[in-house]
Amino acid sequence: MSLFKAASTVSLLTLASRITGLARELLIATTFGATALTDAFNVAFRIPNLFRRLFAEGAFSQAFVPVLATVKAQQGEEATHHLIDRVATVLAWVLLAVSVLGVLASPLLVWLMAAGLRKMEAGSAFDAAVVMTRWMFPYIACMSLVALAAGVLNTWKRFAVPAATPVLLNVAMIAAAWWGAPWFQSLGIPPIYALAGGVLVGGLLQLGAQVLALRRLGMLPRIGLSPAALRAAWADAGTQRVLKLMAPALLGVSVAQLSLLINTQIASHLAPGSVSWLSYADRLMEFPVALLGVALGVVLMPQLAAAKATDDLTRYSAMLDWGLRLVVLLAVPCAIALLTFAQPLVAVLFHYGAFTVRDVQMTSWALMGWGVGLLGIVAVKVLAPAYYASQDIRTPVRIAIVVLVFTQLLNLVLVPQLQHAALALSIGIGALVNAGWLLLGLLRRGSYRPLPGWGVFALQVTAAAALLTIFLMWAASAWDWTRLQTQPWLRIGLLAGLVAGAALIYLGAVWAAGLRFRQFLRR
């Protein structure tokens, strides 16, 4: 399977996930709006997601996938299966302990994440967040085991199942909002609690799908349930290598999550709805990040690790160059869209039911903040795996720590003026700094040697981006997108037509400027 075909497969399946994710957010926004209770749910949902990023696609994946790819390339499948068994045993025991502690410590975790909820609705928002956190905390265990399965499947170039299973979470949450919420309300239970139940069900469904895929591959891990099995797994050389790499990776991911925690804490002290506005904007921002950055990172990391393991530095550099060119080609127009077309996007997707005109404006400002740094956010998803593939996790961690400090200094300056939108803007600017620093490091050590043609490529993208900017600025001002709420199908049709037109203008312009898309297919 070519890199482009693999990345396209992941991207298309991720597109399905993001579309169902948008449907989920639309239903939640329409049903619950942006209130203190939706803030409570978003805070409660962020807590298991924070730990998921620590134990799942964060530190664990960054440490596990390069070791797994190296063992597979150098020692064969039998040794690789042995590694999977031992790592899965240690991970399962750790997750059991973390889940129990998380349920017990939920009040403390909510207070650390969003102490400002105590001021909302006489503290009922805080209490609701605690209850929902307890319901959702076992989701961490499911998703961490899903990350292990995804690492194995991606290493064997089975990209489809890991990319598709997030749809199951969205479907479970949609069902919870559509059917569960009215049922809870009829029982006298706050309907927002149904969403927490949907999250847990979604995690179990994703884990079940991954288990079936591993069984078909013949790589289903044998988890040791006895203390003796745990001791043997812990002492295994491969497990120790993963744990050794996880230490700096955990620090690096903790830095990123600490930034999220601080920002959520700040948002909880701003106007009610601030956490929700940021969450809705984040959902739209993650759409291009997942389609581009995450898809490329998932495909590239095991292949980069295999190239490093066989000392094929030419292939390593060429794959990285291919990924960065795709990032620039596709992330630049997405960033322009978030900056110039934010209000139409938010209005068409969320402006229904309890979601007000004010909510549209506030969410749009946050989305524009994300647009400033979108190129950096996507580029980091490709540049950081280049370090992880070399089993160098310390360098990205050191950079992330400095960027965290820089981001919070920006918050001190920007939040008093821009309120919640400043929180997205500061992270975006920090991501640009992070990406630039990572790229410079790869160039200095000689790991990445850019192929010829970057200057012409940059001019082609710049010219097309200028035309796209003019078109989208006109489209954003040509209609009053919030007043079209009474004509939803007209508004949806306009958005679809304008997005298609924007894509044709941009891609047509880069083609007219001399860029040939075949060069991406060949790689």
Side-chain angles (χ1 to χ4, degrees):
M1 180 181 288
S2 69
L3 282 176
F4 185 82
K5 184 177 179 181
S8 298
T9 299
V10 175
S11 188
L12 287 172
L13 291 171
T14 304
L15 175 63
S17 169
R18 296 306 171 185
I19 289 173
T20 54
L22 281 174
R24 177 190 94 191
E25 295 299 321
L26 170 60
L27 183 57
I28 292 173
T30 303
T31 305
F32 302 104
T35 66
L37 281 179
T38 54
D39 280 0
F41 168 74
N42 283 310
V43 167
F45 194 26
R46 284 187 182 186
I47 290 172
N49 275 324
L50 185 153
F51 283 91
R52 186 198 81 205
R53 286 165 182 158
L54 291 177
F55 288 102
E57 69 263 27
F60 175 73
S61 290
Q62 292 168 13
F64 177 59
V65 173
V67 174
L68 184 70
T70 300
V71 171
K72 182 174 182 288
Q74 296 178 349
Q75 301 178 34
E77 291 199 5
E78 184 177 349
T80 307
H81 202 168
H82 177 79
L83 173 67
I84 294 168
D85 292 343
R86 295 299 174 89
V87 171
T89 296
V90 173
L91 182 64
W93 280 83
V94 169
L95 292 172
L96 177 62
V98 168
S99 297
V100 172
L101 289 174
V103 170
L104 295 175
S106 290
L108 176 61
L109 293 172
V110 172
W111 180 81
L112 289 172
M113 178 68 80
L117 290 179
R118 286 191 180 277
K119 303 175 184 177
M120 297 183 187
E121 298 190 359
S124 62
F126 182 89
D127 295 337
V130 171
V131 172
M132 288 187 283
T133 299
R134 284 180 166 148
W135 283 23
M136 289 188 284
F137 215 91
Y139 170 75
I140 299 165
C142 294
M143 296 311 298
S144 298
L145 293 171
V146 163
L148 181 142
V152 175
L153 293 169
N154 290 335
T155 302
W156 262 260
K157 301 181 183 179
R158 305 294 200 275
F159 300 109
V161 172
T165 48
V167 172
L168 298 174
L169 171 66
N170 295 327
V171 170
M173 292 184 68
I174 288 170
W178 192 272
W179 291 295
W183 181 52
F184 274 41
Q185 190 166 24
S186 69
L187 297 175
I189 302 172
I192 195 80
Y193 286 6
L195 295 178
V199 169
L200 182 55
V201 171
L204 292 170
L205 290 174
Q206 290 182 80
L207 180 57
Q210 300 274 26
V211 165
L212 291 175
L214 285 180
R215 185 185 295 277
R216 286 195 299 269
L217 186 63
M219 284 291 163
L220 186 65
R222 296 179 291 270
I223 297 175
L225 301 178
S226 67
L230 174 61
R231 287 192 296 269
W234 186 272
D236 181 78
T239 303
Q240 286 297 311
R241 182 60 184 159
V242 173
L243 292 172
K244 185 177 179 181
L245 289 173
M246 270 193 73
L250 192 61
L251 177 59
V253 178
S254 296
V255 168
Q257 298 311 306
L258 179 60
S259 179
L260 176 64
L261 189 151
I262 294 171
N263 282 11
T264 305
Q265 186 70 259
I266 294 171
S268 74
H269 291 276
L270 300 176
S274 293
V275 175
S276 297
W277 296 325
L278 284 167
S279 295
Y280 294 132
D282 182 69
R283 168 57 58 183
L284 290 177
M285 179 274 297
E286 284 185 351
F287 208 96
V289 170
L291 293 181
L292 306 178
V294 174
L296 287 172
V298 163
V299 170
L300 283 174
M301 185 151 73
Q303 309 310 314
L304 290 170
K308 274 289 185 180
T310 56
D311 205 29
D312 190 349
L313 301 183
T314 300
R315 178 167 168 257
Y316 173 93
S317 180
M319 284 192 293
L320 192 54
D321 190 88
W322 172 85
L324 288 174
R325 290 189 192 229
L326 268 182
V327 165
V328 172
L329 177 67
L330 299 178
V332 166
C334 292
I336 290 171
L338 297 188
L339 284 166
T340 61
F341 205 59
Q343 188 181 48
L345 288 171
V346 174
V348 173
L349 293 171
F350 295 123
H351 186 212
Y352 307 96
F355 203 85
T356 66
V357 173
R358 180 170 179 264
D359 294 331
V360 170
Q361 188 60 61
M362 295 298 180
T363 304
S364 300
W365 287 343
L367 189 59
M368 292 172 70
W370 285 122
V372 171
L374 183 68
L375 180 60
I377 295 170
V378 175
V380 167
K381 302 292 185 182
V382 173
L383 291 166
Y387 288 86
Y388 306 148
S390 305
Q391 299 188 21
D392 174 12
I393 296 179
R394 296 181 183 276
T395 300
V397 168
R398 288 195 292 266
I399 294 172
I401 292 172
V402 176
V403 170
L404 170 64
V405 175
F406 173 69
T407 299
Q408 296 310 319
L409 289 175
L410 283 177
N411 280 340
L412 286 175
V413 176
L414 297 176
V415 168
Q417 283 76 37
L418 302 178
Q419 296 293 294
H420 69 286
L423 301 173
L425 178 60
S426 62
I427 291 179
I429 295 172
L432 290 171
V433 174
N434 196 344
W437 202 336
L438 289 171
L439 177 60
L440 185 62
L442 291 170
L443 292 170
R444 282 181 172 174
R445 64 176 60 179
S447 298
Y448 170 48
R449 296 182 295 275
L451 295 174
W454 267 98
V456 173
F457 175 68
L459 288 175
Q460 291 166 335
V461 171
T462 301
L467 288 176
L468 179 66
T469 301
I470 294 170
F471 175 75
L472 288 179
M473 289 179 67
W474 166 81
S477 59
W479 292 273
D480 188 333
W481 292 90
T482 54
R483 286 192 177 181
L484 287 174
Q485 184 188 30
T486 57
Q487 299 172 281
W489 291 111
L490 172 62
R491 190 165 64 171
I492 291 169
L494 277 174
L495 180 69
L498 290 170
V499 168
L504 288 174
I505 287 171
Y506 178 77
L507 294 175
V510 291
W511 180 84
L515 181 68
R516 295 298 175 259
F517 302 115
R518 290 190 305 274
Q519 69 186 53
F520 296 102
L521 296 176
R522 286 198 193 104
R523 295 197 183 282

